[in-house]
Structure formats: structure tokens, C-alpha cells
Amino acid sequence: MNYFLVMHNHPPITIHEEDRQSYYEALEAWDTAQDLDALRSFLISQTVKTWSRQIARAEKRAHP
């Protein structure tokens, strides 16, 4: 997935360790019922979380 995103000029998404079970559940929702909403929502939340953490790290480095 991240390869595809990067090749199309999008930032990669990190699936955070603490959210891995939710990721598996979202994948299972697609696999069993072709419900893409769960995966879409999960990936959106992970994108927000990834960028929030990246911004916080950058701010910490800029203002030690």
C-alpha cells in the first residue's frame, strides 16, 4: 500500500502497533462482507495519527 502511495506522490501511512488489531478487523470486514468503510475510516485515522506524530516530532526538534 505504501509503495503505491509513494509512487503516486502521497505520503506513506504508518499502521501503529497499538492499532494493529483494528487494522486486522478492518481488513476482515472487507474480506468477509466487502465493507470498505471500515478500512477507509481506519486508514484516515492512521493518516491523521501519523502526521500528528510527525509534526510533534518536528516541533520538538525545532524548539528543544
Side-chain angles (χ1 to χ4, degrees):
M1 172 183 66
N2 280 331
Y3 176 77
F4 180 83
L5 289 169
V6 170
M7 292 305 295
H8 290 88
N9 298 317
H10 294 279
I13 298 171
T14 301
I15 306 300
H16 299 277
E17 179 81 30
E18 65 270 17
D19 301 321
R20 193 169 290 169
Q21 185 60 41
S22 296
Y23 176 59
Y24 295 143
E25 290 167 5
L27 289 174
E28 182 70 19
W30 168 254
D31 193 43
T32 59
Q34 284 65 56
D35 176 13
L36 193 55
D37 292 334
L39 187 57
R40 182 182 301 120
S41 294
F42 177 81
L43 292 175
I44 289 169
S45 71
Q46 291 300 283
T47 300
V48 170
K49 191 174 198 176
T50 297
W51 280 98
S52 295
R53 289 184 179 185
Q54 290 291 347
I55 290 167
R57 277 191 217 115
E59 288 174 344
K60 189 183 270 188
R61 283 192 303 263
H63 304 22

